[in-house]
Amino acid sequence: MQTTILGKTDIHLSTIIMGTWQTGKAMWAGINDAQSEKAIRAAMDAGITTFDTAEVYGNGHSEKVLGKAIGSNRDKVHLLSKVFSNHLKRDQVIQACNRSLKNLGTDYLDLYQIHWPPGSFGAKPVPMEETMDALNELKLEGKIRAIGVSNFSLDQLKAISRIGAVESLQPPYSLFWRHVENDTLAWCQANQVTVMAYSPMAQGLLTGKFGPEHRFEKGDHRSNNRLFQPDVYPKVQTALAALRPIAEKKGITLGQLALAWVIAKPGVCAIAGARNAEQSTSNAKAATVTLSESELAELDRISRPVTACIDDNPVPWKW
């Protein structure tokens, strides 16, 4: 497994990170705790050392399952969690971090991230200075090793970086969702801010498992993903048809091709979810895939008709 240095720290993240939103069950369908634990252990066996979670994933359930699955292997992995937008006041940040530590069964987090910018989802805006003060306090106490943000615009990222050291940005980023390339990716690369791409397989779309007539089960939030909407979905299917021969020629899956494209970018890791052991093992193998300049150019060309359908709103869901 390749590694990427986290920002300006000495922390080495696995280039493929296991994401555990689905492990929390909320907003997903068909998730089983026992299978989730097997998926996490399979990820470790396959060389994945970094696991991303959040307090809001099932109201702590994801963290608890992850902590149980990691067990006595804490010293072999990096654990990343996030505080939600309704817990950004000083005392709330500290309380949220302590809950996450308890859920995960650890006394420190390798990275603690602000999940959404202040004021998101109707939360009362909190000055970034107050939130950063709390995060720096946690860092001084040794409860967190580094600070990151998620879903921040470039202006928001610049603003908070002027207040304190921010080591990472977690945005949605895939062949089909490329807003971060406009200005943010270059700024992060120039300023040693690691980009941890979430939904690098476009929430399963880039695995090719969803056909033209696919309908999600009730309760699955992916039905609100803008890539699945009627004005975009046909172009997605056309792009997938063009990507399949490339994956087949290389002897890899579509999902591995999608992950390899993301981690080919300097300073970028891919956060890949998995609901079973087989998916974890498959995701990890993407770290061994090398794409040539001509292949990268072809993938870029194939993806453009899809991204051309998407407006400037960087949020993938119609919430």
Side-chain angles (χ1 to χ4, degrees):
M1 176 62 62
Q2 300 173 20
T3 61
T4 298
I5 296 176
L6 174 62
K8 298 181 179 69
T9 74
D10 60 356
I11 300 170
H12 288 250
L13 308 176
S14 53
T15 305
I16 302 295
I17 298 170
M18 182 172 178
T20 61
W21 182 5
Q22 72 287 337
T23 305
K25 292 185 174 179
M27 301 179 75
W28 295 81
I31 303 297
N32 175 276
D33 285 352
Q35 290 298 315
S36 293
E37 289 181 35
K38 289 179 181 178
I40 292 163
R41 295 190 186 106
M44 287 190 287
D45 290 342
I48 293 175
T49 61
T50 309
F51 297 83
D52 180 74
T53 186
E55 64 164 342
V56 78
Y57 296 165
N59 193 27
H61 187 72
S62 171
E63 293 175 326
K64 291 174 183 176
V65 174
L66 176 58
K68 181 180 177 183
I70 296 297
S72 61
N73 294 300
R74 176 64 182 97
D75 61 336
K76 300 175 183 177
V77 301
H78 293 118
L79 296 180
L80 327 177
S81 195
K82 300 184 281 292
V83 57
F84 201 58
S85 56
N86 60 342
H87 290 152
L88 297 185
K89 293 182 70 66
R90 179 192 172 279
D91 290 348
Q92 293 173 329
V93 172
I94 292 170
Q95 291 165 7
C97 182
N98 287 334
R99 283 194 301 271
S100 291
L101 293 174
K102 182 178 180 181
N103 288 340
L104 286 160
T106 185
D107 56 4
Y108 72 95
L109 295 170
D110 295 283
L111 177 69
Y112 198 38
Q113 305 154 88
I114 302 173
H115 201 157
W116 288 86
S120 299
F121 299 102
K124 185 177 180 180
V126 177
M128 289 183 184
E129 289 83 357
E130 180 176 348
T131 304
M132 281 297 290
D133 281 348
L135 292 170
N136 282 322
E137 183 176 331
L138 290 167
K139 191 174 177 182
L140 285 172
E141 292 175 353
K143 291 184 176 180
I144 64 175
R145 296 178 67 193
I147 298 166
V149 297
S150 177
N151 297 297
F152 273 47
S153 68
L154 179 56
D155 286 344
Q156 291 166 332
L157 176 57
K158 288 179 176 178
I160 199 165
S161 295
R162 287 192 288 267
I163 299 168
V166 174
E167 309 296 348
S168 65
L169 170 69
Q170 189 175 140
Y173 187 30
S174 73
L175 264 171
F176 292 164
W177 201 268
R178 301 174 63 170
H179 295 71
V180 72
E181 291 180 347
N182 293 339
D183 297 300
T184 307
L185 182 58
W187 188 91
C188 288
Q189 291 168 336
N191 290 275
Q192 291 182 267
V193 173
T194 300
V195 172
M196 301 188 298
Y198 75 76
S199 298
M201 293 181 285
Q203 299 208 292
L205 259 183
L206 279 160
T207 66
K209 64 183 177 181
F210 301 131
E213 305 302 322
H214 182 79
R215 296 292 181 271
F216 286 104
E217 294 181 48
K218 184 178 180 181
D220 194 321
H221 76 282
R222 288 178 294 182
S223 61
N224 293 319
N225 190 304
R226 293 200 283 154
L227 291 171
F228 287 96
Q229 303 312 305
D231 58 330
V232 182
Y233 200 55
K235 290 184 173 58
V236 165
Q237 293 298 320
T238 299
L240 290 172
L243 292 170
R244 282 190 180 91
I246 299 174
E248 290 170 0
K249 184 177 180 181
K250 296 184 74 67
I252 61 176
T253 67
L254 268 175
Q256 289 164 349
L257 181 67
L259 291 173
W261 178 85
V262 170
I263 63 175
K265 310 290 183 178
V268 180
C269 299
I271 301 176
R275 61 175 66 211
N276 56 52
E278 292 74 20
Q279 290 179 357
S280 291
T281 302
S282 179
N283 291 343
K285 289 179 180 177
T288 66
V289 177
T290 301
L291 298 175
S292 67
E293 289 301 320
S294 61
E295 288 171 331
L296 290 169
E298 181 66 1
L299 295 178
D300 177 79
R301 183 191 66 78
I302 291 170
S303 73
R304 290 300 177 182
V306 176
T307 59
C309 296
I310 306 297
D311 60 26
D312 292 336
N313 182 355
V315 180
W317 304 276
K318 295 178 68 176
W319 284 335

